[in-house]
Amino acid sequence: MISIIILFEVTKTSNITDVKMVVLRLKHQRYMTALLSSTTILLLLYFQNSLLVFTYGSYGFISKEVPCECSICVTDRENSNWFSERYDPNIPLLLNSTNSVLRSNVSRWWKELQLNAGNYTEVVDQLFPLFPDKEHYSDTGPDRCRTCAVVGNSGNLLGSKYGPLIDFHDFVIRINKGPTEGYEKDVGSKTTHRIVYPESAIDLDNSTHLVLLPVKILDIQWLISAFTTKNITQTYIDVPSTIKADKDKVMILHPEFIRYVYDNWTEGHGRYPSTGFLTLIFALHICDEVSVFGFGATSDGIWHHYFEKTLTSFESGIHAGKFENETINRLQQENKILMHKGWT
Ligand SMILES: *[C@@H]1O[C@H](CO)[C@@H](O)[C@H](O)[C@H]1NC(C)=O
Ligand SMILES: *[C@@H]1O[C@H](CO)[C@@H](O)[C@H](O)[C@H]1NC(C)=O
Ligand SMILES: *[C@@H]1O[C@H](CO)[C@@H](O)[C@H](O)[C@H]1NC(C)=O
Ligand SMILES: *[C@@H]1O[C@H](CO)[C@@H](O)[C@H](O)[C@H]1NC(C)=O
Ligand SMILES: *[C@@H]1O[C@H](CO)[C@@H](O)[C@H](O)[C@H]1NC(C)=O
Ligand SMILES: *[C@@H]1O[C@H](CO)[C@@H](O)[C@H](O)[C@H]1NC(C)=O
Ligand SMILES: *[C@@H]1O[C@H](CO)[C@@H](O)[C@H](O)[C@H]1NC(C)=O
């Protein structure tokens, strides 16, 4: 027991040769040799590798700087260079009154996505008298273990019986119109966040955060209108003039976050990232552990939503489906997300 503690102390310096030297030194000290039977030494040598794994690995077993209280934390930057190169913990996630000014290159890119951009500054000035103006989710730390389920709309959820598992997560983040009513067994009934844009918005219950994905300035104008004048009824298609949702739970994804996902995670493929993909990366920034449900095709390769029969396209031209798929696969390989593929 004593020797194991000594080894732990030594591995804190993260040096293999130190460990070996101490083991050797211990062997030469007569009173310690009495203490350490040869089997103990063999055991120690045997465990040396796993100790090193613990030191360098994702378990935060020895390191004092554990990023969260879960067994594996998204933000543990030690265990994946690929991830660390892309993940920027300081990127603004959600708009508020103090971070709303866009850097000129972000602004230029974002405005190019839209047909006739309104005056962003004027629109944003109306936002925060109306919606909560604060910093969200800055509570990361060693005492937090926030588990999240990101629930996509794939037909592979049908028959999965994932409902109770999904609802077990602290946050359940859903995307666009994906309903729960009538599908509870497979998709669960809890929704803490729903990511929408005007064309995909539905009524929410009062425990759900409406998280707007602003692809264009008009989307922000629509959000304001939906809670005030209700006079925006059209974007490029008819949209609901209003929706049921708790005004005090409204959040707006930051255009700079959208650009960051485009740069760092889809590496410039497609025009801008899909809602599902943005939601997944958003979850990596507000959660400590991320489980992913309802992404991808059914086991026989069919792409459709669990709530409708029409087939959906995988590569739309706007979004880089293939590249997003590869990035999601890699996130799984790097232990950053846990994929649940469904049963059908
Ligand atoms: C925008 O410009 C800043 C420097 O002004 C640079 O650091 C940043 O990487 C640029 N961002 C994009 C998305 O090009
Ligand atoms: C947007 O509105 C602000 C405030 O009304 C004004 O100062 C600015 O010049 C406008 N920008 C453009 C591009 O029209
Ligand atoms: C707005 O968000 C930023 C982080 O993006 C944060 O530093 C700032 O304190 C927030 N402002 C308000 C008013 O909450
Ligand atoms: C939220 O909705 C439930 C059921 O629709 C209702 O019973 C409850 O009073 C509502 N809570 C608030 C704060 O509006
Ligand atoms: C909606 O109403 C506001 C204020 O009454 C007005 O400024 C705006 O132009 C109207 N928008 C549309 C699309 O009718
Ligand atoms: C990710 O973003 C950061 C800054 O936000 C940048 O320095 C870095 O080069 C980006 N990495 C990739 C792979 O795009
Ligand atoms: C997405 O990735 C999975 C896992 O590697 C693969 O089986 C599937 O064929 C990919 N989908 C497409 C459409 O490329």
Side-chain angles (χ1 to χ4, degrees):
M1 217 33 233
I2 295 168
S3 45
I4 288 174
I5 289 164
I6 292 169
L7 264 182
F8 269 53
E9 287 299 319
V10 171
T11 44
K12 271 185 190 165
T13 68
S14 308
N15 196 320
I16 311 167
T17 44
D18 280 359
V19 178
K20 284 186 178 147
M21 276 173 58
V22 166
V23 173
L24 285 176
R25 226 187 300 137
L26 291 181
K27 274 161 104 180
H28 289 247
Q29 285 168 352
R30 231 179 280 146
Y31 67 98
M32 282 305 285
T33 350
L35 211 76
L36 292 169
S37 70
S38 54
T39 43
T40 323
I41 291 175
L42 275 177
L43 262 176
L44 286 177
L45 289 173
Y46 178 77
F47 279 120
Q48 195 170 303
N49 279 336
S50 40
L51 279 174
L52 289 171
V53 169
F54 279 125
T55 315
Y56 296 114
S58 59
Y59 300 93
F61 195 64
I62 289 168
S63 154
K64 286 195 185 83
E65 296 270 319
V66 286
C68 82
E69 211 185 20
C70 309
S71 55
I72 297 182
C73 307
V74 164
T75 50
D76 192 330
R77 311 195 69 176
E78 307 275 291
N79 61 1
S80 166
N81 285 334
W82 176 86
F83 184 79
S84 309
E85 276 166 16
R86 285 161 181 77
Y87 190 86
D88 180 357
N90 299 316
I91 205 79
L93 298 173
L94 297 158
L95 270 180
N96 64 36
S97 65
T98 52
N99 71 12
S100 67
V101 176
L102 301 181
R103 287 188 292 115
S104 63
N105 47 5
V106 172
S107 170
R108 204 178 317 120
W109 173 79
W110 186 59
K111 282 181 181 162
E112 275 167 13
L113 294 179
Q114 34 201 304
L115 284 172
N116 33 18
N119 185 321
Y120 172 77
T121 323
E122 277 181 0
V123 173
V124 164
D125 282 347
Q126 303 166 49
L127 267 179
F128 297 107
L130 197 55
F131 302 115
D133 182 20
K134 53 185 178 194
E135 178 163 23
H136 303 273
Y137 310 122
S138 51
D139 56 344
T140 53
D143 301 327
R144 190 186 81 174
C145 177
R146 176 182 295 143
T147 61
C148 296
V150 174
V151 187
N153 293 326
S154 165
N156 71 21
L157 284 169
L158 288 173
S160 68
K161 301 205 168 65
Y162 281 151
L165 178 60
I166 289 173
D167 284 348
F168 192 65
H169 292 77
D170 298 325
F171 286 179
V172 178
I173 311 174
R174 298 185 196 271
I175 298 161
N176 297 334
K177 290 179 190 286
T180 54
E181 212 182 314
Y183 299 93
E184 289 87 349
K185 263 193 204 156
D186 294 334
V187 310
S189 55
K190 174 170 160 183
T191 309
T192 60
H193 299 70
R194 186 178 287 275
I195 318 278
V196 296
Y197 44 92
E199 297 82 8
S200 76
I202 56 168
D203 286 342
L204 309 182
D205 64 36
N206 58 16
S207 59
T208 304
H209 289 279
L210 186 167
V211 184
L212 178 78
L213 161 57
V215 180
K216 45 194 182 311
I217 293 172
L218 182 56
D219 297 347
I220 304 180
Q221 290 171 301
W222 169 82
L223 183 71
I224 296 167
S225 162
F227 286 94
T228 57
T229 61
K230 306 179 180 27
N231 69 353
I232 297 184
T233 56
Q234 259 193 335
T235 58
Y236 54 88
I237 55 170
D238 287 345
V239 293
S241 62
T242 188
I243 49 164
K244 275 201 210 107
D246 185 344
K247 190 163 75 69
D248 296 326
K249 289 197 168 70
V250 169
M251 299 171 170
I252 302 123
L253 285 181
H254 202 294
E256 184 149 347
F257 175 73
I258 303 173
R259 172 75 202 216
Y260 151 77
V261 175
Y262 179 69
D263 279 344
N264 278 33
W265 297 98
T266 61
E267 298 179 21
H269 291 78
R271 276 190 74 209
Y272 60 93
S274 69
T275 316
F277 190 77
L278 275 164
T279 304
L280 202 159
I281 305 294
F282 178 63
L284 291 174
H285 283 263
I286 66 170
C287 311
D288 298 310
E289 215 179 84
V290 176
S291 301
V292 179
F293 300 84
F295 274 58
T298 59
S299 60
D300 41 11
I302 296 174
W303 291 82
H304 71 102
H305 290 155
Y306 66 82
F307 51 93
E308 54 192 16
K309 289 256 181 320
T310 45
L311 300 184
T312 54
S313 66
F314 174 70
E315 278 286 354
S316 66
I318 299 173
H319 309 308
K322 199 161 188 296
F323 196 85
E324 290 184 358
N325 189 45
E326 279 162 20
T327 308
I328 293 170
N329 291 337
R330 184 71 190 262
L331 283 167
Q332 183 183 19
Q333 281 164 24
E334 305 280 336
N335 275 320
K336 295 299 180 183
I337 57 174
L338 196 62
M339 288 293 282
H340 299 266
K341 296 240 172 201
W343 300 89
T344 51

